[in-house]
Amino acid sequence: MNQSRQAPLTPPVSQGFDQPIDRSLSASQKWEKYRGRDILPMWVADTDFMAPPAIIKALHERIDHGVFGYTLAPEALTEVVVERLQRLYGWRVDPEWLVWLPGLVCGLNLACRATGEAGSAVISPKPIYPPFMSAPRLSERRLVSVPMTLEGERWVLDLDALEAAIDPSCQLLLFCNPQNPGGSVYRREELTRLLEICARHDLTLCSDEIHCDLILEPGVKHIPIASLDPQLAGRTITLMAPSKTYNIAGLACSLAIIPDKALRQRFIRTKRGIVPDVNLLGYTAALAAYRDGDGWNQQQLAYLRQNRDYLVREINAIEGLKLHPFEATYLAWIDVSGLELEHPAEFFERAGVGLSPGIDFGDNRFMRMNFGCPKATLEEAMRRIRTAVAAL
Ligand SMILES: Cc1ncc(COP(=O)(O)O)c(C=O)c1O
């Protein structure tokens, strides 16, 4: 970390997505990893964009109040979330169902501990965001991985393999929609079938929908799986957060939506005394994001869509690399197996581009690239990759 460097942060002058922002003095996880090295950090999932003006203004106002004591979730935030879920998805959510959390990884771990017992099994897709694989183990549960499969150009959970993998020790399915990595958005029929499988085998379903406001493909819509059927929603835990969309992960404010009272109480009991409350700046930012951030996000989506289209074109023009067109997230799941590299992550770092190794997600044929950055950075990354591959 860079505690020794005390220079003040310089505020950027513009909020445009093209504007590079110096994060080098901000103790950013993403940027610290390659401090002092000429490697573009394109790994962990935060963007290099400034948060929307509405969030920054709300934070300033809250800071100016000057008192920062223990804080409840603001009533206005609960109201905005409930209204938004109804407006966007026709999902009627009771305010009581909301459980605020300082992160969704902790939500995945709580879901594992609140269902089943030590030794029971948790099913998770593979490849998948790494905490889906570590949460069962950390909770003394057994991990059962079910493969993702390519349907047409979309990475989706193989539902036949899922059903075949279920045995009576399975209590919980961890599900990710939109999928990270892979960027697919599940369709209504797929979700309906998945929910039916969970009901048939009496599984609790924890659906991580953190990327649901980052759908890039026009015409594709997110459907919260719990909104499909009020009865079956009783077996669901839905995880959402404004953190990815509005680039406020450092403010740590997320939520679980748990319709069934008994399941919700188990979840809350599991977190008691261990998981801290959300901090007041997190609540402040979440309220501003959900109440005032939609217009800004539309602009962000247009920008990310251009980055995605550029990336798909450029990657597929390089022999040995393959990127299936994808629908959501700012994370590209690139098949690098054609390059036949022994250590793919090191190859890309030597090229000057810091990507997430696919092996961390369960598949070493891939690398994940975060393209939530100015277009110029992405162009520079592609120039470096092209040069390095040509020299192989
Ligand atoms: C699917 C998914 N869930 C959860 C998280 C992280 O959530 P948090 O930072 O709120 O713990 C990420 C971050 O990339 C993610 O992609």
Side-chain angles (χ1 to χ4, degrees), residues 38 346-353 384-385 388:
D38 182 21
E346 285 171 26
F347 169 80
F348 286 98
E349 284 180 354
R350 272 199 304 278
V353 185
R384 293 179 180 196
I385 291 174

Side-chain angles (χ1 to χ4, degrees), residues 45 103-105 129 132 176 180 208 210-211 244 254:
L104 282 199
V105 170
Y129 177 61
F132 280 63
C176 193
N180 171 21
D208 180 333
I210 194 170
H211 295 283
K244 298 287 140 187
S254 317

Side-chain angles (χ1 to χ4, degrees), residues 94-134:
D94 189 315
E96 280 194 359
W97 300 353
L98 308 189
V99 182
W100 293 96
L101 297 170
L104 282 199
V105 170
C106 110
L108 294 169
N109 282 272
L110 289 169
C112 289
R113 287 165 208 213
T115 51
E117 56 290 317
S120 64
V122 176
I123 307 175
S124 167
K126 186 174 170 182
I128 191 66
Y129 177 61
F132 280 63
M133 295 182 283
S134 60

Side-chain angles (χ1 to χ4, degrees), residues 155-192:
W155 288 107
V156 291
L157 187 61
D158 183 335
L159 295 182
D160 294 326
L162 167 67
E163 194 143 28
I166 298 173
D167 68 43
S169 74
C170 297
Q171 304 283 330
L172 173 69
L173 169 66
L174 298 178
F175 179 58
C176 193
N177 179 32
Q179 161 72 12
N180 171 21
S184 36
V185 180
Y186 285 87
R187 305 297 191 259
R188 182 175 295 275
E189 314 78 64
E190 294 164 336
L191 295 170
T192 303

Side-chain angles (χ1 to χ4, degrees), residues 237-257:
I237 299 170
T238 301
L239 303 176
M240 289 183 169
S243 50
K244 298 287 140 187
T245 311
Y246 298 98
N247 207 23
I248 50 176
L251 291 171
C253 179
S254 317
L255 74 151
I257 306 170

Side-chain angles (χ1 to χ4, degrees), residues 17 49 52-53 84 87-89 212-221 245-246 289 292-306:
F17 298 104
F49 304 141
R84 197 170 182 268
R87 173 169 46 85
L88 293 180
Y89 312 119
C212 67
D213 296 311
L214 288 166
I215 296 185
L216 306 179
E217 193 56 27
V220 173
K221 281 200 68 168
T245 311
Y246 298 98
D292 306 320
D294 281 348
W296 178 91
N297 190 34
Q298 291 311 314
Q299 293 172 26
Q300 173 178 239
L301 291 175
Y303 195 88
L304 289 174
R305 198 172 294 129
Q306 282 183 13

Side-chain angles (χ1 to χ4, degrees), residues 190-237:
E190 294 164 336
L191 295 170
T192 303
R193 200 175 148 213
L194 181 66
L195 203 49
E196 284 167 1
I197 292 173
C198 291
R200 201 155 44 242
H201 299 276
D202 198 19
L203 297 181
T204 301
L205 171 65
C206 177
S207 182
D208 180 333
E209 303 182 8
I210 194 170
H211 295 283
C212 67
D213 296 311
L214 288 166
I215 296 185
L216 306 179
E217 193 56 27
V220 173
K221 281 200 68 168
H222 177 71
I223 303 173
I225 194 162
S227 70
L228 285 178
D229 181 323
Q231 212 75 43
L232 296 182
R235 58 178 65 254
T236 63
I237 299 170

